[in-house]
Amino acid sequence: MADSERLLKAKIPCEETGIEIKRSMCDICSPSAHCGVDVYVKDGKIIKLEGTKDHPVNHGLLCAKGQAGRQYVYRSDRIKTPLRRVGARGSGDFEPITWEEAYQEIGKRLLAIKSESGPEAVAFIAGYEKWLRPFLRRFAYSFGSPNYGTESSTCSTAAILAWVAATGNEKAKPDLSGAGVYLGFGYSGYHSSYLYPSAVDAARKRGMKLIVIDPRRTFAAETQSDLFLQIRPGTDGVLAMAMANLLIKHGWVDHDYIRNHVHGFEEYAEYVKAFDIAAAERITGIPAEKIEQAVRMIRDNAPAAIHESAAPILHHRNGFQNYRAISALSALLGTFDRPGGQLPAELTFVNSVSGFRTKEDDFTGKRPDAEMIGQRRFPLWAEVTGEMQVCDLSRQILEKTPYPVRAVFALGLNYRMVNDSQLMKRALSELDFFVNADLFLTDTAKLADIVLPACSSFERSELKTYPKGYVFYTKPAIMPLYESKPDTEILKELADSMVLPDELLRAGYEDCVRYIFSNTVVDIDELKDSPVPVHYPELKPPPPGQFQFKTPTGKFELHATILDKYADAGLDPLPTYTPSPDGADEQEFPMLLLSGGGRLPFALHSRLHDVPWLRYCRPAPMADISHEDAGKLGIQSGDEVVISSAHGKVRVKACPSSRIMPGLVHLYHDYPDADGSSLMGPTHNDPYSGFPGYNSIRCRINKDLGGDKK
Ligand SMILES: Nc1nc2c(c(=O)[nH]1)N[C@H]1C(S)=C(S)[C@@H](COP(=O)(O)OP(=O)(O)OC[C@H]3O[C@@H](n4cnc5c(=O)[nH]c(N)nc54)[C@H](O)[C@@H]3O)O[C@H]1N2
Ligand SMILES: Nc1nc2c(c(=O)[nH]1)N[C@H]1C(S)=C(S)[C@@H](COP(=O)(O)OP(=O)(O)OC[C@H]3O[C@@H](n4cnc5c(=O)[nH]c(N)nc54)[C@H](O)[C@@H]3O)O[C@H]1N2
Ligand SMILES: [Mo]
């Protein structure tokens, strides 16, 4: 083999091979990660990806999902041009049109609906992508609609609601650097956030104890925990209240802190008396002595920090209240705003918590004064977020109350994201006009009237903030594939075409971010010149101990004043416990389904199921069940089984496992052929947050004998 061929085969970047390394970012998973990536490019094509060594977040690492980024970008179902639907909704029959035609048609239809039915008849929705959100929100408000909503109607924001109820502030982060014990409610970082376990390990090396609380015996439970509490899903509030009860009974709480900074202590102390360890054992499944052991571990290893869960604790019909009961421990132990406890934080930019504030809220502007979708059903959600609750969209489209919603303009919407996904599919199909922008021609895109091709993070420029004062402005590593465009450019050009009265939005992405960061030391020109994130050491949060509670009482509210006015809506100011599963018959549906809770390291919602390297790791949708249940039901590994709920059924393969608690089934979500979200009814939501109860669905599982034999 000639030298040049060998160099090419080894993908060596040099003049001879014509291979260049471009610096970019993987945006496949949550905004807390978004690892730096070295993109090897030859002739305008990505030929290899590697983690960037001098990136402050991943330091050269890249997970399985990121490694498969090349196959993601080049998926064969990438949308090549704007499309207009010519066949029935869902048929996938489209004709290619030009961008100009697409903008003209979208503008005409949206403005017509606005003049006939009011601007609120158009809803603007973002899926999992975060980077485009302030721009879409501003677009919605410039158009005149209050109905801006996102995937965060199902993720993470219920925790914001809980922290606002308790402290008036939107976030609080565990301080791993000083914690003596870490309460890992739903902590399973190896699969959902691969960089986090090493931070936990570093803390463990200096003596921090780890309690893992999970229905599944995860790798983290097995290899990192000092104590593992295997809990029934959706009962974490009870465990937290039993802990509170014991701490109070033994006087192991911080009385000074409570006196000075906590509101509602007496009332809460009275309430948690009902949750002694025997009651807690009955409800949570955790042996009483283990709960006592955990409480002694908390006493002996102060301060305690609490794992911040965006999903599994919140994905229950009682998720908000369970989350509050867990965070109440930081008030009782006096660890809120103290080193080694929970440190108040705020959102910096596009859902990243980076320790400083930008003008993002100011940029997105004032919401038009009209009722939002979901506001009546989920009033707390509406008050705190100022966003529509996407989980109420299908109901409102179909029932037309309190007013009709006739059009949806979406960037990356996936109808399987919400409970009762089939209802969402039906509702989107009944719209007068539906636009969806995506990289891929998904089942949701197939329902749209106009489909727009968006591009990936490797094909665009994007500003990103990280913790500890790092700010990154990426450059495209390759040109956008086919005719695709960055979402923000789509919004700018559509705003131009519609002559939206919004000069800044129409000035484009860069001018907008210059405005958003104009209150900070961030120098956009410096960022644009740098291939890696720039460090601004002055961008850091205030030290612990300075926080002023923004609640009406000026304290950490165990009795949340914000909830007092919602008593008629059945919302309780104390973090009270109600069971999460729906009312389905327990005899008929004796098991509980976790639909998604417990991420797979090689899947991310809907977007990676069609990526060959990743799909190869688990080719078929699988139901993990315990060996005990498998034995009882005569099910063996690889058998076809049916999971049924009161609302539907899916066929999958069985995967008996020693990791899962008897009585539970685990199925990862978003498989078109086995959609866990279709197993929940239209009201399987938390009344406080609107979040679907993905992880407490009553079900049964049967061997598939051709029909669904009981
Ligand atoms: N590989 C991968 N990574 C991801 C994602 C992905 O899809 N794939 N999704 C990203 C997103 S959007 C999110 S929100 C995060 C979520 O990330 P995490 O918050 O870590 O959530 P999960 O991994 O779903 O669940 C963590 C653990 O909680 C357990 N669990 C489930 N229900 C309960 C419960 O009721 N109580 C307790 N104590 N534990 C419970 C599960 O068994 C699991 O082991 O992950 C992000 N990272
Ligand atoms: N059953 C069940 N359902 C769940 C969950 C669960 O645990 N179980 N988890 C919930 C949680 S925590 C979350 S965060 C949500 C995830 O919510 P989803 O929004 O469903 O997440 P994805 O499927 O990753 O992304 C949605 C779409 O965005 C497209 N996309 C990717 N990048 C871009 C881009 O740059 N621009 C545009 N326009 N589109 C893009 C993808 O191709 C995909 O079709 O799902 C929720 N739904
Ligand atoms: Mo999420």
Side-chain angles (χ1 to χ4, degrees), residues 68 84 112 170 188 237 335 339 379 396 425 451 571-572 580 597 631 654:
R84 178 193 286 129
E170 58 199 2
S188 162
T335 51
Q396 183 156 344
K425 181 181 179 189
V451 178
L571 307 189
D572 204 323
S580 173

Side-chain angles (χ1 to χ4, degrees), residues 128 151 414 417 437-438 460 487 595 599 606-607 677 694:
Y128 188 60
E151 146 277 352
N414 164 23
M417 172 187 95
D438 204 301
R460 64 184 183 228
D487 299 270
S595 160
R599 299 313 197 201
S606 69
R607 58 179 69 180
S677 295
Y694 301 116

Side-chain angles (χ1 to χ4, degrees), residues 372-379 382 388-389 392 395-396:
M372 289 178 289
I373 294 163
Q375 187 159 352
R376 287 192 200 179
R377 211 170 133 202
F378 305 111
M388 66 184 270
Q389 182 26 290
D392 198 38
R395 188 207 57 76
Q396 183 156 344

Side-chain angles (χ1 to χ4, degrees), residues 30 128 130 151 154-156 310-311 315 599 605:
S30 25
Y128 188 60
K130 313 288 188 287
E151 146 277 352
T154 68
C155 176
S156 173
H315 284 169
R599 299 313 197 201
H605 307 302

Side-chain angles (χ1 to χ4, degrees), residues 128 186 191-192 213-216 234 236 312 316 598-600 603 605 668:
Y128 188 60
H191 290 181
S192 61
I213 301 136
D214 199 305
R216 302 181 315 132
D236 298 79
H316 296 281
R599 299 313 197 201
L600 297 179
H605 307 302
Y668 193 77

Side-chain angles (χ1 to χ4, degrees), residues 129-146:
E129 277 307 293
K130 313 288 188 287
W131 80 289
L132 45 80
R133 291 186 178 182
F135 306 88
L136 182 66
R137 188 171 194 154
R138 185 172 166 120
F139 190 107
Y141 293 174
S142 292
F143 178 83
S145 176

